[in-house]
Amino acid sequence: MSEVAVFCPPEAEENWRDGKLFERMCKRLKGTIPKSWPEGEQCPPHGSYGFAECLAVDYFMSYSHLALPREGLKILVEGYYSKTKDEEGYQKASELLGPELAPLVLTYTGGQPPDLLVYSRDNRFFFSEAKRPTEPLSKTQKTRFPQIESLLRRYMEPGSQLQRGTGTPATSDIVIARVTPTNERKQWTRTLQLYRSYDIPEVSAKF
């Protein structure tokens, strides 16, 4: 597993809980945020649910990462591994992984897959798990994620007997997108720069 830092203002999670940030991010990320979120439990007023996932989506949509071009990038958000929750997302994930690998990864058995499946126009992809600043990997994730990484490595080995899908993993590592609060405004992702001036914390003159 590898890790990237997703920088945000120190008060971002608080603004998420009161709904200010969620509304803006839904507009910014329209077409990526699951339609069920505004009525579900993954958004305000349900605490911090959905916060790290939204910031991770924004990070990958704003910056090129792991040799995947930003242009044409698409992201499946949690639920893609369940045909009943997100049939369209499940079909795309199955297409990327292929008929032999998909049933081994897109399952709750042993723990659900990572929050995000990021893929490019040419169908290269990687998985990412979004975490809040102090949120650790769960015991299940510490077991399940290495299993998925191992499957991806075996799937990509020359001479593999597995039937390939349309995708080619950009990396076999699951990328942990760690939300990291900072006062350094230049490091914030693009969506968080949409804060109105009175939402932005005081920063030093050099910024």
Side-chain angles (χ1 to χ4, degrees):
M1 285 179 278
S2 57
E3 187 165 316
V4 296
V6 181
F7 294 106
C8 68
E11 79 282 12
E13 189 167 355
E14 180 181 348
N15 281 0
W16 174 270
R17 286 194 295 267
D18 65 22
K20 293 178 183 177
L21 184 55
F22 177 71
E23 183 178 351
R24 294 178 208 174
M25 295 194 82
C26 279
K27 291 178 180 178
R28 156 85 168 87
L29 303 172
K30 187 177 181 180
T32 301
I33 300 303
K35 295 177 182 178
S36 61
W37 275 24
E39 297 83 31
E41 295 182 354
Q42 293 284 14
C43 61
H46 300 282
S48 295
Y49 292 113
F51 171 69
E53 290 89 339
C54 270
L55 265 68
V57 167
D58 183 67
Y59 170 82
F60 292 123
M61 295 293 284
S62 299
Y63 302 99
S64 295
H65 184 70
L66 300 173
L68 296 188
R70 188 177 68 195
E71 294 74 19
L73 201 68
K74 293 187 178 181
I75 302 177
L76 301 177
V77 186
E78 62 172 29
Y80 67 85
Y81 39 77
S82 169
K83 190 173 183 179
T84 56
K85 286 186 176 182
D86 181 0
E87 184 174 0
E88 185 177 345
Y90 181 84
Q91 289 177 349
K92 182 60 184 180
S94 297
E95 176 188 344
L96 291 170
L97 291 166
E100 301 235 14
L101 187 60
L104 302 176
V105 175
L106 306 180
T107 174
Y108 289 96
T109 303
Q112 66 188 37
D115 296 319
L116 311 177
L117 176 52
V118 185
Y119 66 98
S120 61
R121 187 177 293 158
D122 59 359
N123 286 325
R124 286 178 292 158
F125 68 90
F126 64 89
F127 289 96
S128 179
E129 175 72 17
K131 291 293 185 183
R132 301 199 307 278
T134 59
E135 185 180 12
L137 288 174
S138 69
K139 183 177 180 180
T140 300
Q141 289 171 335
K142 288 179 180 179
T143 301
R144 175 64 170 152
F145 289 177
Q147 289 175 346
I148 293 175
E149 290 174 328
S150 178
L151 285 168
L152 289 171
R153 291 189 186 99
R154 181 158 57 92
Y155 172 72
M156 292 305 296
E157 284 180 359
S160 169
Q161 296 303 305
L162 290 174
Q163 187 173 344
R164 298 177 184 275
T166 61
T168 301
T171 174
S172 297
D173 291 342
I174 292 172
V175 180
I176 308 301
R178 175 72 60 188
V179 175
T180 306
T182 178
N183 279 312
E184 295 190 15
R185 186 172 167 187
K186 284 186 175 180
Q187 292 185 304
W188 299 349
T189 59
R190 191 164 47 172
T191 290
L192 295 173
Q193 291 174 12
L194 297 178
Y195 269 59
R196 293 186 295 270
S197 59
Y198 53 81
D199 288 328
I200 297 174
E202 291 296 323
V203 294
S204 72
K206 67 178 180 179
F207 298 110

